[in-house]
Amino acid sequence: MAGASKPGTVSTKQQRIVELAKQAPPMGFTSLAYFMDIDWLRQAYLRTRKDGAVGVDGQTAADYAVHLEANLQSLLDRAKSGTYRAPPVRRVHIPKGTGNETRPIGIPTFEDKVLQRAVVMLLEPIYEQDFLDCSYGFRPGRSAHQALQALWQQTMDMKGGWIVEVDVRKFFDTLDHSHLRAFLQQRVRDGVLLRLIGKWLQAGVLEDGTWTTTEAGSPQGGVISPVLANVYLHYVLDVWFAQEVKPRLRGRAFLIRYADDLVMGFACEDDARRVLEVLPKRFGKYGLTLHPTKTRLVPFGRPPGPRTEADSGKGDDPGTFEFLGFTHYWGRSWKGNQVVKRKTASSRLDRALARIAAWCRANRHRPAAEQHQTLRQKVRGHFAYFGITGNSEALRRFRHEVTRIWRKWLSRRHRRGPLSWLRFTELLKRYPLPPAVVVHSVYRRAGEALT
């Protein structure tokens, strides 16, 4: 791209922010916008997805790129002068599960995404020095699989214990703006950035042609929303748990959080019950509520050993809990040892298969080669996330069900009746679906570590 920014220049500025944040942890930054120049915006543009849905203005990334330099310069001038007007986000709803419940997603305009990305690039170097190790969601170099591995390691080291599943109701919709501003101002006191964030929080949403203001929340889908969510829960939960809760407990305890999905583990039952009792009050203090039935205490101690049928059902078997799309339970390894295992949560498996079925139904008229290409990508994407050690059975079931669903909707294309399994088997030889693969294998990682 002509006039492309120099990543080294941006990374050097970010490193300078990192150094300042490390040198003075309590310091509030008053001149962050000074770092944001045309090179910074160019880099923000390069880091912004170009294939996302369009916002309320209908402008695509290709449209914006036609006069890129002029658009970026205008954006920089408006952002720094305070004349930038944050457009409302376009709200759409996506299925949340297999029922009728949906999740609202806010889609900013492309220009808004670029500016939000530029501000995120300023905030991340600061808060990455503040955020605790228990936080994994939407952070550079951290992933959901790292959170799952940390949870597995902690539960194994503690031999299970007691798990508190926490479900924050509509977190992104109820996030309190006044508390968020107070949290931000502990580290960010730059007027330009605070004004921009305030405009995004108050921009409102456009849905079915109707514009409504928002008194609380940050649109799920906005580029800056994950950082704001992490800042909010860093002060509401992470710091509180590390500095105030853990020192008062009798036994070991841990917290694993991925954005607003979180679980806590405790070695002692009374510690778990005490924390579970105060959690609603702590979250309520900052305008958040916990789901009364989905927030629960799960006994997760390691099973006592081999048991007879007469022993089952006596109430001392460990329970199960869900986190990041997986059901966590106790099972036996190949060597017969008690280990924590993970399998695809039934709700997530049903949701994935429902989406596959909906796609096959809508695209059954397309040539088999085109359908195969897309289905192969969808199956690989599923395996890329759910392909972890111990989950092979669920992966094989998913592949089997996708195969069955594909045959069903291919059969609907003909009036001659269902596509026979013989003919469908011949088609699969030509257009095979990917095999069930454990992408994230602990055995493969161990082998790589030995080489």
Side-chain angles (χ1 to χ4, degrees):
M1 183 180 69
S5 64
K6 301 167 184 163
T9 303
V10 173
S11 62
T12 300
K13 293 178 180 178
Q14 288 182 314
Q15 186 57 41
R16 177 58 179 159
I17 298 174
V18 168
E19 293 170 358
L20 292 172
K22 286 182 177 178
Q23 290 172 7
M27 182 183 73
F29 287 77
T30 58
S31 57
L32 279 172
Y34 164 79
F35 293 98
M36 188 167 63
D37 55 15
I38 193 65
D39 283 339
W40 193 278
L41 279 187
R42 287 196 197 101
Q43 192 64 27
Y45 165 81
L46 292 174
R47 298 183 187 185
T48 302
R49 282 187 56 181
K50 311 299 188 296
D51 58 349
V54 298
V56 295
D57 61 355
Q59 187 180 50
T60 66
D63 297 334
Y64 195 78
V66 173
H67 303 289
L68 181 60
E69 288 301 309
N71 288 335
L72 293 179
Q73 186 61 56
S74 172
L75 179 60
L76 179 64
D77 295 340
R78 285 177 284 139
K80 288 201 169 185
S81 66
T83 58
Y84 180 79
R85 298 184 62 181
V89 298
R90 182 170 67 88
R91 175 175 286 173
V92 297
H93 293 266
I94 62 173
K96 192 174 182 179
T98 55
N100 297 324
E101 192 175 2
T102 61
R103 186 190 307 276
I105 299 295
I107 304 173
T109 64
F110 182 78
E111 182 176 65
D112 213 31
K113 293 177 184 177
V114 173
L115 187 55
Q116 288 188 28
R117 176 60 60 192
V119 173
V120 168
M121 288 162 55
L122 289 169
L123 297 180
E124 277 184 347
I126 299 172
Y127 286 107
E128 280 303 305
Q129 315 315 310
D130 296 353
F131 291 156
L132 306 184
D133 284 340
C134 62
S135 168
Y136 290 86
F138 306 105
R139 292 180 56 188
R142 294 198 157 210
S143 68
H145 288 101
Q146 290 177 331
L148 290 166
Q149 178 61 25
L151 175 60
W152 182 88
Q153 193 65 57
Q154 296 268 27
T155 50
M156 286 293 295
D157 291 346
M158 213 161 61
K159 298 180 175 58
W162 296 79
I163 299 294
V164 174
E165 267 189 293
V166 182
D167 185 277
V168 185
R169 299 188 68 176
K170 298 182 177 180
F171 169 73
F172 282 93
D173 297 333
T174 58
L175 183 147
D176 185 271
H177 292 175
S178 60
H179 287 304
L180 176 59
R181 290 190 185 95
F183 293 147
L184 285 170
Q185 287 173 2
Q186 294 187 39
R187 287 295 253 164
V188 180
R189 296 170 192 167
D190 185 296
V192 172
L193 265 61
L194 292 176
R195 278 196 305 270
L196 285 173
I197 293 172
K199 290 178 179 180
W200 286 321
L201 293 175
Q202 299 173 353
V205 298
L206 187 67
E207 185 175 5
D208 297 329
T210 303
W211 177 77
T212 55
T213 58
T214 50
E215 299 298 328
S218 180
Q220 205 167 351
V223 175
I224 201 167
S225 293
V227 175
L228 299 183
N230 274 334
V231 170
Y232 203 87
L233 289 175
H234 170 73
Y235 290 104
V236 171
L237 179 65
D238 300 355
V239 174
W240 171 74
F241 186 80
Q243 297 181 1
E244 298 186 37
V245 174
K246 289 181 71 174
R248 292 178 169 84
L249 302 180
R250 286 199 307 116
R252 288 181 56 185
F254 66 83
L255 164 68
I256 303 291
R257 181 175 67 81
Y258 189 92
D260 60 327
D261 292 329
L262 61 115
V263 291
M264 299 174 175
F266 301 87
C268 302
E269 180 182 0
D270 58 338
D271 286 341
R273 294 192 179 278
R274 286 167 55 204
V275 174
L276 182 60
E277 184 179 352
V278 300
L279 270 179
K281 301 174 186 176
R282 176 65 184 182
F283 279 84
K285 179 180 178 181
Y286 295 98
L288 301 174
T289 57
L290 301 183
H291 198 288
T293 57
K294 293 182 180 179
T295 299
R296 63 193 185 107
L297 179 63
V298 180
F300 200 68
R302 188 167 65 180
R307 311 184 70 193
T308 65
E309 289 187 11
D311 293 326
S312 62
K314 289 187 176 180
D316 54 353
D317 287 324
T320 66
F321 65 95
E322 292 187 10
F323 183 60
L324 295 180
F326 290 89
T327 297
H328 301 250
Y329 65 101
W330 281 98
R332 289 195 178 275
S333 68
W334 288 353
K335 295 182 179 180
N337 300 321
Q338 294 281 6
V339 295
V340 176
K341 291 194 164 188
R342 290 80 56 89
K343 63 181 179 180
T344 308
S346 58
S347 60
R348 293 293 292 270
L349 184 60
D350 292 343
R351 186 195 313 177
L353 292 173
R355 289 176 177 173
I356 291 287
W359 186 90
C360 287
R361 178 182 181 181
N363 295 273
R364 62 185 183 274
H365 60 284
R366 297 184 179 276
E370 290 186 17
Q371 294 186 45
H372 170 253
Q373 184 176 5
T374 301
L375 280 176
R376 184 175 58 184
Q377 294 173 348
K378 292 180 179 293
V379 171
R380 282 179 174 169
H382 184 88
F383 293 162
Y385 182 76
F386 290 101
I388 65 173
T389 300
N391 197 33
S392 298
E393 183 179 345
L395 300 181
R396 287 192 292 268
R397 181 189 168 193
F398 176 78
R399 186 182 185 277
H400 171 76
E401 291 297 323
V402 170
T403 303
R404 186 187 62 80
I405 290 169
W406 193 21
R407 174 180 175 267
K408 171 185 174 180
W409 289 107
L410 283 175
S411 298
R412 300 290 178 91
R413 302 201 305 181
H414 304 285
R415 296 181 180 179
R416 292 174 292 181
L419 181 65
S420 69
W421 275 107
L422 180 61
R423 289 180 56 202
F424 184 62
T425 302
E426 291 298 319
L427 184 142
L428 283 178
K429 291 180 181 178
R430 186 175 181 183
Y431 302 116
L433 292 176
V437 176
V438 176
V439 179
H440 307 277
S441 169
V442 295
Y443 304 110
R444 186 181 302 119
R445 287 200 299 267
E448 291 171 352
L450 293 174
T451 59

